[in-house]
Amino acid sequence: MNKRQNFLKGLIKENPVLVLVLGTCPTLAVTTSVSSAIGMGAAATAVLLCSNIVISALRNIIPDKVRIPCYIVLIAGFVTMVQMLVKAFAPALDESLGIYLPLIVVNCIILGRAEMFANKNKVIDSAIDALGMGAGFTLALFMMSSIREILGNGSWMGFEIPILSDNSISIMTMAPGGFLVFGILIAVVNKISHGKNSKKNFGCAGCPSADICAKSNGEQEEAK
Amino acid sequence: MTKFIIIMLSAVFINNYVLSRFLGICPFLGVSKKLNQAVGMSVAVIFVMLIATAVTWPIQIYLLDPNSLGYLQTIVFILVIAALVQLVEIILKRYIPSLHKSLGVYLPLITTNCAVLGVTILNIDEGYTFAEAMVNSLGSGVGFLLAMVMFSGVRSKIEGADVPKAFQGLPITLVAASITSLSFLGFSGVIENLFA
């Protein structure tokens, strides 16, 4: 796989949100307005880039058994840095992201890429992978927030749209609208890709705790 | 006392962690297929939320704040929660094997569950006292349980439904979640007026 493909796969073929279905919590929560969605995308991309580079550089040093705690500590460190930068330079963004900014720590995309890509690949490839995945995450958030802000608030990036702003469907910016738009977007992606990417089950494969999750499902079934 | 009831009820119904705050969506979508799994996961979440709050609240108030180390909150909390989950698992395995058998498989999943980290951070942000924080954690956990149980019922209906191909799997589940969360919107404003 060359570097260009490596970058592009994160955007479309393996889009972390719409195809791999990782990081659903921030996707649903911060997409009420385009500006906060882009802010979230940028913050998560910054953390992902730093963590992928460092984890890839340390991949031969970190013992396999304690890798997940190590990754979490590294990621938490970078999230704290981003948190302080956002607080200092973009207080309005800090306000609109609120609790979801520190929660980047437990965003499955970041831990998932560390586990699936960075601990097996070279530093430069991991950095490109992080940029691609970050861009894919931001793109998905941007699409979703555009739909929700235009329909729910009658505006886009804060600019009012003449007719729509008088006839806004406010449910779109509320919780049910988030689930609905996300579901429909994934269905559209499935349709376009003719079900090539669609999985029968949820995209647990990218989740670091997928093993345990599958085990818990399996054991429950055996118990019956 | 009224304040505790308000905190409890609003955590369960109005600010439901899954359906209106979007925390803990992964287990909500991943482990809600069967009722017994949904209940097992939720009980484990309630358990860990309570213990995590009981430990992180004193750490923040008596250790981090007096030493102006508040910025370490994220790192400290995630580490404490991860260590705590391990510890709880070991203790359960040793002393209460029957409980470990039913909850054990879910415990490791909870380390990276944003609902647990979310509730501990929100307790600090809201400026709750220790008792209020514990009540809020319990309420949040019960809200999680309620959402999981309701949704597993909804999902068992979807399993047998004939949905368009593009909507099969996750998309139709999300649409169902949307309608489930719509039902919770009905609670907004109720609690404030109940005690006004």
Side-chain angles (χ1 to χ4, degrees):
Chain A
M1 195 188 326
N2 65 31
K3 292 192 166 50
R4 193 163 149 267
Q5 278 173 327
N6 188 10
F7 177 77
L8 285 178
K9 75 166 197 295
L11 270 182
I12 301 154
K13 229 170 87 192
E14 288 181 27
N15 188 296
V17 178
L18 298 174
V19 180
L20 299 180
V21 199
L22 295 171
T24 41
C25 303
T27 309
L28 291 164
V30 303
T31 49
T32 47
S33 77
V34 178
S35 50
S36 60
I38 292 176
M40 181 73 198
T45 308
V47 174
L48 182 57
L49 182 62
C50 297
S51 74
N52 251 15
I53 290 175
V54 173
I55 286 167
S56 164
L58 295 175
R59 68 184 184 280
N60 296 327
I61 302 171
I62 297 176
D64 210 37
K65 267 192 177 155
V66 292
R67 65 183 194 285
I68 301 272
C70 292
Y71 298 163
I72 292 180
V73 175
L74 280 170
I75 294 167
F78 289 121
V79 168
T80 307
M81 277 152 68
V82 168
Q83 224 179 326
M84 291 166 96
L85 287 172
V86 170
K87 270 206 178 94
F89 295 106
L93 183 64
D94 182 54
E95 186 90 344
S96 69
L97 293 183
I99 177 101
Y100 298 99
L101 195 56
L103 286 182
I104 296 177
V105 179
V106 284
N107 189 325
C108 317
I109 296 178
I110 293 165
L111 205 52
R113 286 333 282 176
E115 178 77 359
M116 282 168 78
F117 199 93
N119 71 352
K120 300 187 196 82
N121 289 283
K122 291 200 184 92
V123 175
I124 295 182
D125 289 333
S126 300
I128 294 170
D129 176 74
L131 286 176
M133 284 291 158
F137 180 59
T138 315
L139 181 75
L141 287 189
F142 176 75
M143 272 161 49
M144 225 176 112
S145 61
S146 296
I147 297 172
R148 288 182 72 187
E149 200 185 331
I150 290 172
L151 289 179
N153 210 15
S155 62
W156 191 76
M157 298 274 281
F159 299 111
E160 289 209 351
I161 297 167
I163 301 161
L164 285 173
S165 61
D166 298 330
N167 303 298
S168 56
I169 315 164
S170 57
I171 196 92
M172 280 299 179
T173 51
M174 288 192 245
F179 284 112
L180 189 68
V181 172
F182 192 34
I184 292 175
L185 260 183
I186 293 180
V188 169
V189 170
N190 277 354
K191 186 81 191 164
I192 292 171
S193 60
H194 297 296
K196 252 182 280 171
N197 293 329
S198 76
K199 289 179 190 136
K200 286 277 177 305
N201 265 316
F202 297 111
C204 280
C207 179
S209 38
D211 283 353
I212 313 159
C213 202
K215 212 193 291 166
S216 78
N217 283 339
E219 277 177 20
Q220 290 289 327
E221 266 152 32
E222 276 167 29
K224 272 188 180 171
Chain B
M1 195 61 215
T2 327
K3 193 160 187 218
F4 288 138
I5 299 174
I6 293 179
I7 291 176
M8 179 81 185
L9 289 180
S10 62
V12 176
F13 294 111
I14 301 174
N15 291 324
N16 188 287
Y17 262 62
V18 181
L19 296 170
S20 66
R21 275 196 174 133
F22 298 125
L23 295 173
I25 299 287
C26 299
F28 177 64
L29 295 175
V31 203
S32 64
K33 249 186 189 158
K34 296 203 185 71
L35 185 64
N36 57 348
Q37 290 171 20
V39 172
M41 181 75 190
S42 315
V43 172
V45 166
I46 296 177
F47 193 57
V48 173
M49 269 183 178
L50 282 173
I51 300 175
T53 306
V55 176
T56 52
W57 193 90
I59 287 181
Q60 175 80 22
I61 301 297
Y62 297 116
L63 200 69
L64 296 182
D65 282 351
N67 299 314
S68 54
L69 291 171
Y71 62 89
L72 284 179
Q73 192 192 46
T74 314
I75 300 185
V76 171
F77 278 24
I78 190 80
L79 274 180
V80 166
I81 292 170
L84 212 58
V85 170
Q86 287 289 320
L87 197 68
V88 167
E89 204 191 347
I90 294 169
I91 292 174
L92 281 186
K93 202 172 188 175
R94 175 75 182 78
Y95 294 105
I96 322 174
S98 59
L99 194 60
H100 179 261
K101 213 176 167 197
S102 51
L103 295 188
V105 284
Y106 301 109
L107 284 173
L109 284 178
I110 294 170
T111 316
T112 50
N113 182 339
C114 42
V116 175
L117 184 61
V119 78
T120 54
I121 295 177
L122 276 174
N123 279 333
I124 305 296
D125 286 354
E126 298 277 331
Y128 286 143
T129 64
F130 186 70
E132 287 168 356
M134 291 303 283
V135 171
N136 185 40
S137 307
L138 180 64
S140 308
V142 172
F144 187 80
L145 172 76
L146 183 67
M148 288 285 273
V149 169
M150 272 176 63
F151 196 56
S152 71
V154 173
R155 276 190 79 171
S156 66
K157 290 278 174 197
I158 301 174
E159 294 286 297
D162 182 27
V163 288
K165 193 159 176 284
F167 270 94
Q168 272 166 17
L170 185 61
I172 192 72
T173 312
L174 283 165
V175 173
S178 160
I179 296 167
T180 315
S181 97
L182 199 60
S183 68
F184 270 73
L185 271 188
F187 288 115
S188 59
V190 169
I191 312 281
E192 285 88 343
N193 294 327
L194 210 57
F195 295 98

